[in-house]
Amino acid sequence: MEAVPGASEKPLNAIERKTLLYKSGLGFHCINHVLGCSHGCRYPCYAFLMARHHGRIRDYEEWCRPRIVGNALELLDQELARKRVLPDCVHLCLTTDPFMNGQPEVGAMSLAIIERLNHCGIECSVLTKGRLPAELADRRRFPCDNTHGISLVSLDEDFRREWEPGAASYAERIVALRRLHEAGRRTLAHIEPYPTPSILEQELAEILAEVKFVDHVYFSGWNYNPRVGRDPADAAFYRRQSAVVRRFCAQHGIDCDLA
Ligand code: SF4
């Protein structure tokens, strides 16, 4: 039977790792303190494809039953103590979600990791399809200028249920992001993978309008799916959408990154 993504609030099975903090091939430092992700995105999720390819998980069902790295905080303390030069910034997460919907243990560990890093003077950037916790606004606990991001590729809940079945609703993500913005925190809308009209007809301007308060927008197309990219019309579509993002960001004084 197929796992129901996002369904569990039960304690997670733990795994042990030998290392935690690393520099990714993308050039920035990351922490991935969970194996798997109950959001179960079907774009497909690149982290899922890699975990399956390398034999770390068997299949989609196993991916949707995340396992927390039980020794993550211990490892982080050891690794920070050993480093002669600390990274300026650490990203959570590249291969899982730090505020996974319905997984309070994951969120609690993410907060503890960010707290540890901030108290060493290391900024964090976080990206989630869950709800960013209100605690992140607490400057005594999180003194650095962290960046708080949500993934947002649509406002259509039917689309979300099909493609991001275990994730939080779009409205919940936006509310949590706005709360951090109103508390003076830096915020980011990560619009990737943006669907082509062959997958979903929608207006990008309507999505941007919902997050016009953010400091930063990242926009990119849809990769790793055979339904996108072969048609030259897709490239033209993404050029037009990039222009929409660029114009919107210029009008609203928002930093903008286009892939
Ligand atoms: S939220 Fe991210 S890590 Fe989790 S399944 Fe979706 S794409 Fe993969």
Side-chain angles (χ1 to χ4, degrees), residues 54-230:
H54 292 293
R56 289 193 282 273
I57 50 128
R58 269 191 317 276
D59 52 24
Y60 178 78
E61 285 70 39
E62 191 177 336
W63 175 257
C64 293
R65 287 193 293 270
R67 283 175 286 163
I68 202 158
V69 177
N71 61 338
L73 292 173
E74 196 186 318
L75 279 175
L76 182 60
D77 287 341
Q78 290 165 4
E79 290 175 353
L80 290 174
R82 273 203 302 267
K83 276 201 184 304
R84 273 204 235 123
V85 182
L86 295 176
D88 296 330
C89 185
V90 171
H91 180 68
L92 286 81
C93 300
L94 206 53
T95 66
T96 186
D97 193 299
F99 296 109
M100 217 177 280
N101 200 25
Q103 308 291 356
E105 272 181 85
V106 173
M109 187 173 278
S110 300
L111 290 175
I113 289 171
I114 297 165
E115 186 174 9
R116 292 276 220 287
L117 291 167
N118 277 190
H119 282 277
C120 290
I122 303 170
E123 286 177 12
C124 294
S125 69
V126 299
L127 183 63
T128 187
K129 292 184 181 70
R131 284 174 290 263
L132 287 160
E135 289 99 308
L136 286 166
D138 181 350
R139 285 204 178 260
R140 274 171 308 183
R141 187 172 174 198
F142 306 105
C144 290
D145 284 327
N146 302 318
T147 299
H148 307 87
I150 58 166
S151 290
L152 188 75
V153 296
S154 181
L155 301 172
D156 183 324
E157 280 298 302
D158 288 335
F159 174 86
R160 184 195 61 73
R161 278 186 283 272
E162 181 178 354
W163 295 97
E164 306 171 351
S169 72
Y170 295 127
E172 288 173 307
R173 293 181 218 178
I174 295 167
V175 165
L177 187 70
R178 185 189 292 275
R179 190 172 49 199
L180 291 176
H181 161 74
E182 285 169 356
R185 288 305 207 163
R186 181 171 170 77
T187 53
L188 159 80
H190 187 101
I191 306 178
E192 184 202 17
Y194 192 72
T196 55
S198 62
I199 295 171
L200 178 69
E201 292 271 3
Q202 61 177 2
E203 286 299 327
L204 178 55
E206 290 175 9
I207 300 169
L208 290 167
E210 288 296 313
V211 289
K212 66 174 181 225
F213 58 86
V214 298
D215 301 287
H216 196 147
V217 168
Y218 176 86
F219 178 82
S220 184
W222 187 302
N223 298 310
Y224 318 119
N225 190 306
R227 283 170 67 183
V228 179
R230 302 229 170 102

